[in-house]
């Protein structure tokens, strides 16, 4: 047996253990009774320790070295050469993390989850603050263990988005802000062009859920290899290409309806379902980074789901499915309301234009926390100041401030930037797709989503983690990650919607 084949056996076991842990995590967020927290924390801690130790074992290191020699002459972009390269990067990174730190992250995450839920329900940051101190401390330990010659935050970014660093993200964000702020002002001066109140009506959650399941299946989410459940914070999780699940949240009011959240998560799920079967049970069998993952969810949610042709196709069916609730609302009015720009407190409900500002706000606060310039107790005040500066809003209430997102329970920092990078990358990919699929809008208006789904499958999904975010974007668009296409997209869309020119 070759070293590469032996290495693949080890990696397959590690993948099985990690996906079993994912299943325990999914269960905790969906069906586990409240009493299960402590047992679940222990189980997740144990599974994380076993998979970590199996992966970083000296024997795996020796197999990796031998496999590197075996693939030395193999084509650089082949599955095997890429597998060895990615496994090497992961191994180098993970061997720097001590076992007790890996176990602590899994255990503390499970324990933090219900504390966050309680704190959010009561709108009381002080309840969550002790858990947040643990998150910051663990993130600092991770950054220190990974090590970096630059800033502490660089290590966390590199773990999430290999090839990027704090300075590159700061530069992209500052370009975005330069485009968003003046456009937002122009839009606000024409706010009367869109009537958001047409969404102030209620539809039974059951009707919304079944319609959202119908929509995501038609987009290309395979429900024979997936399912949709409810959770406090919607997410997508994969236990292998044959079982990729999404969750959503729903309230009767249409502004808090489930449709766009379901489309978003299905965007993630289609990516995971579309990875090449040849990569199964390897570290390549998943999306390449949170940023590229978000490019897929945000592309389907916004660039498709909030487009005119999408509603040309779905609006008549939506009106029937919602039992007459929208009988007096025309398609154009509905389309405009779905795209209304209005600065708000909650990221997941934010419009396309102000959404990135929510991400920048968290990025600034995380950097301050990690680099010790801000204490956990000061987070609500810092948040309020940023909300005022970025969004022009007065301080939020407890649940609409720093407690709104689940991410700080994981417990790690550095993941939020993927949400803004996702918008940027999604617009770049869509610009390329439009250049190749010249009838795309007509296809969408006819309910034919297969050409776009197929294009993404060919250019993005099937590669899994073979390429870094930069490499993938370069390969598909011929250019590196850059905010230009997103800036052109919002200028064009909102310029038209708000009749700015
Ligand atoms: Zn997402």
């Amino acid at each position: 047996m070759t070293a590469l084949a032996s290495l693949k056996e080890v990696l397959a076991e590690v993948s099985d253990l990690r996906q079993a842990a994912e299943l325990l995590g999914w269960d905790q967020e969906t069906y586990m009774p409240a009493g299960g927290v402590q047992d679940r924390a222990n189980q997740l801690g144990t599974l994380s320790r076993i998979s970590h130790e199996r992966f970083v074992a000296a024997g795996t290191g020796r197999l990796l070295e031998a496999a590197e020699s075996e693939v030395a002459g193999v084509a650089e972009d082949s599955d095997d050469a890429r597998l060895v390269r990615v496994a090497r990067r992961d191994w180098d990174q993970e061997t720097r993390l001590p076992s007790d730190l890996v176990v602590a992250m899994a255990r503390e995450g499970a324990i933090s989850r219900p504390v966050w839920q309680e704190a959010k329900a009561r709108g009381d940051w002080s309840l969550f603050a002790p858990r947040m101190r643990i998150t910051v401390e663990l993130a600092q330990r991770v950054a220190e263990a990974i090590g970096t010659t630059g800033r502490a935050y660089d290590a966390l970014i590199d773990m999430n988005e290999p090839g990027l660093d704090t300075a590159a993200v700061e530069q992209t964000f500052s370009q975005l802000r330069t485009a968003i702020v003046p456009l937002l002002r122009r839009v606000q001066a024409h706010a009367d062009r869109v009537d958001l109140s047409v969404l102030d009506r209620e539809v039974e959650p059951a009707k919304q859920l079944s319609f959202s399941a119908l929509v995501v299946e038609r987009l290309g989410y395979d429900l024979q290899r997936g399912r949709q459940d409810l959770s406090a914070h919607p997410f997508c999780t994969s236990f292998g290409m044959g079982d990729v699940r999404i969750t959503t949240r729903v309230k009767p009011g249409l502004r808090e309806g489930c449709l766009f959240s379901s489309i978003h998560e299905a965007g993630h799920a289609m990516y995971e379902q579309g990875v090449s079967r040849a990569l199964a049970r390897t570290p390549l069998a998943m999306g390449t980074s949170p940023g590229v993952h978000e490019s897929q969810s945000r592309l389907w949610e916004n660039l498709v789901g909030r487009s005119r042709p999408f509603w040309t196709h779905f609006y008549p069916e939506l009106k029937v499915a919602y039992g007459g609730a929208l009988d007096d609302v025309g398609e154009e009015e509905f389309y405009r309301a779905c795209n209304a720009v209005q600065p708000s407190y909650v990221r997941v409900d934010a419009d396309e234009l102000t959404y990135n500002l929510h991400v920048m706000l968290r990025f600034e606060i995380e950097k301050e926390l990690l680099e010790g310039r801000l204490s956990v107790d000061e987070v609500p005040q810092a948040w309020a100041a940023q909300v005022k500066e970025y969004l022009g809003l007065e301080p939020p209430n407890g649940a609409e401030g720093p407690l709104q997102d689940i991410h700080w329970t994981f417990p790690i920092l550095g993941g939020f930037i993927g949400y803004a990078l996702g918008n940027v990358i999604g617009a770049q990919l869509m610009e390329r797709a439009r250049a190749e699929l010249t009838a795309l809008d007509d296809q969408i208006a006819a309910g034919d989503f297969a050409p776009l789904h197929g294009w993404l499958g060919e250019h993005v999904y099937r590669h899994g983690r073979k390429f870094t975010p930069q490499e993938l974007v370069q390969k598909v668009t011929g250019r590196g990650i850059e905010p230009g296409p997103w800036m052109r997209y919002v200028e064009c869309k909102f310029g038209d919607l708000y009749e700015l020119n």
Side-chain angles (χ1 to χ4, degrees):
M1 192 183 226
T2 61
L4 179 60
S6 304
L7 177 67
K8 282 181 181 174
E9 280 188 357
V10 174
L11 296 176
E13 277 181 25
V14 171
S15 160
D16 294 342
L17 289 164
R18 288 185 178 162
Q19 287 177 340
E22 288 289 321
L23 179 53
L24 292 181
W26 172 87
D27 175 67
Q28 177 169 5
E29 295 307 308
T30 51
Y31 295 106
M32 190 188 84
V37 172
Q38 197 55 53
D39 291 329
R40 189 54 46 92
N42 290 335
Q43 293 150 6
L44 284 166
T46 299
L47 274 178
S48 298
R49 181 180 52 73
I50 295 172
S51 62
H52 172 72
E53 287 174 356
R54 184 86 176 101
F55 183 54
V56 301
T60 313
R62 285 192 294 273
L63 285 175
L64 200 46
E65 248 173 62
E68 281 169 332
S69 312
E70 287 173 8
V71 299
V74 172
E76 199 199 345
D77 280 358
S78 67
D79 290 353
D80 283 347
R82 290 280 162 173
L83 171 64
V84 171
R85 197 180 79 156
V86 170
R88 162 61 69 191
R89 192 173 72 214
D90 290 350
W91 195 84
D92 285 348
Q93 215 159 49
E94 275 209 43
T95 44
R96 293 190 209 134
L97 300 178
S99 272
D100 73 299
L101 179 54
V102 173
V103 174
M105 285 168 68
R107 286 179 52 91
E108 300 297 344
I111 294 166
S112 286
R113 226 60 46 78
V115 179
W116 164 73
Q117 271 168 359
E118 171 83 15
K120 185 179 174 183
R122 295 198 193 185
D124 185 352
W125 175 257
S126 72
L127 288 179
F128 185 66
R131 304 305 308 171
M132 188 64 191
R133 274 190 271 281
I134 291 172
T135 293
V136 175
E137 187 199 307
L138 291 173
Q140 284 165 336
R141 283 183 63 195
V142 168
E144 209 171 292
I146 296 291
T148 165
T149 49
R151 299 166 65 173
Y153 207 79
D154 288 347
L156 302 182
I157 292 182
D158 193 55
M159 281 175 77
N160 285 298
E161 307 289 338
L164 296 181
D165 62 14
T166 315
V169 174
E170 282 172 338
Q171 199 200 347
T172 302
F173 282 7
S174 123
Q175 282 174 280
L176 288 174
R177 207 147 80 113
T178 309
I180 295 168
V181 173
L183 180 56
L184 179 59
R185 270 198 217 104
R186 286 160 63 212
V187 163
Q188 284 177 312
H190 289 73
D192 59 344
R193 303 297 198 278
V194 175
D195 180 10
L196 186 52
S197 72
V198 301
L199 297 180
D200 289 335
R201 49 191 83 205
E202 300 196 339
V203 174
E204 285 165 50
K207 285 183 181 165
Q208 295 189 48
L209 287 167
S210 58
F211 186 73
S212 72
L214 173 149
V215 169
V216 296
E217 190 167 30
R218 213 174 290 170
L219 298 181
Y221 176 41
D222 180 358
L223 284 165
Q224 298 302 310
R225 298 187 288 138
R227 54 178 283 135
Q228 173 168 275
D229 292 271
L230 292 172
S231 67
H233 207 295
F235 64 97
C236 165
T237 185
S238 168
F239 318 130
M241 291 150 211
D243 188 355
V244 183
R245 304 187 191 184
I246 62 172
T247 67
T248 192
R249 60 174 165 74
V250 64
K251 285 187 181 165
L254 284 188
R255 287 204 203 195
E256 300 153 308
C258 66
L259 183 60
F260 290 108
S261 138
S262 292
I263 296 174
H264 178 100
E265 299 307 332
H268 286 300
M270 288 187 275
Y271 188 8
E272 294 283 328
Q273 286 184 336
V275 175
S276 162
R277 290 256 162 200
L279 306 179
R281 296 177 81 213
T282 76
L284 303 183
M286 63 178 86
T288 193
S289 78
V292 177
H293 240 299
E294 280 303 309
S295 80
Q296 297 311 299
S297 54
R298 302 280 296 169
L299 185 155
W300 284 104
E301 177 192 358
N302 293 323
L303 282 64
V304 177
R306 285 189 165 88
S307 71
R308 267 205 183 86
F310 180 88
W311 287 109
T312 301
H313 174 65
F314 275 117
Y315 196 59
E317 276 181 86
L318 179 80
K319 284 176 94 156
V320 175
Y322 283 8
L326 288 161
D327 273 357
D328 59 327
V329 181
E331 180 193 316
E332 177 67 14
E333 262 178 295
F334 183 78
Y335 159 75
R336 297 174 86 83
C338 289
N339 284 291
V341 171
Q342 193 175 63
S344 65
Y345 293 109
V346 178
R347 176 184 61 85
V348 294
D349 298 329
D351 58 79
E352 276 185 90
L353 190 54
T354 58
Y355 185 96
N356 288 329
L357 298 172
H358 288 263
V359 179
M360 295 173 199
L361 177 168
R362 286 156 181 75
F363 174 62
E364 292 302 326
I365 289 180
E366 285 197 354
K367 273 191 302 180
E368 298 284 299
L369 282 168
L370 191 75
E371 292 169 3
R373 288 187 300 276
L374 182 73
S375 78
V376 165
D377 293 331
E378 293 167 327
V379 167
Q381 291 89 317
W383 191 284
Q386 298 271 20
V387 158
K388 179 87 189 160
E389 187 195 333
Y390 283 16
L391 295 156
L393 298 172
E394 294 309 313
N397 72 36
E400 291 184 328
L403 288 167
Q404 63 180 271
D405 288 306
I406 195 171
H407 304 64
W408 285 340
T409 70
F410 277 128
I412 190 68
L413 306 178
F416 276 114
I417 57 163
Y419 291 108
L421 289 174
N423 289 325
V424 166
I425 297 169
Q428 282 189 271
L429 295 172
M430 194 61 160
E431 199 175 74
R432 187 68 222 148
R434 283 191 175 286
E436 291 182 26
L437 305 171
T438 49
L440 184 59
D441 282 342
D442 295 338
Q443 289 159 346
I444 291 175
D448 182 9
F449 299 97
L452 180 60
H453 184 262
W455 189 91
L456 291 167
E458 170 69 18
H459 294 281
V460 181
Y461 301 167
R462 72 184 172 96
H463 298 307
R465 251 178 109 213
K466 277 177 72 173
F467 305 105
T468 66
Q470 282 284 17
E471 286 169 344
L472 183 75
V473 172
Q474 184 75 40
K475 206 173 157 61
V476 182
T477 69
R479 303 180 65 97
I481 297 170
E482 58 183 13
W486 185 81
M487 282 150 59
R488 285 195 284 280
Y489 160 74
V490 289
E491 179 67 39
C492 176
K493 177 170 184 175
F494 295 102
D496 167 58
L497 199 67
Y498 283 88
E499 299 160 36
L500 301 181
N501 302 309

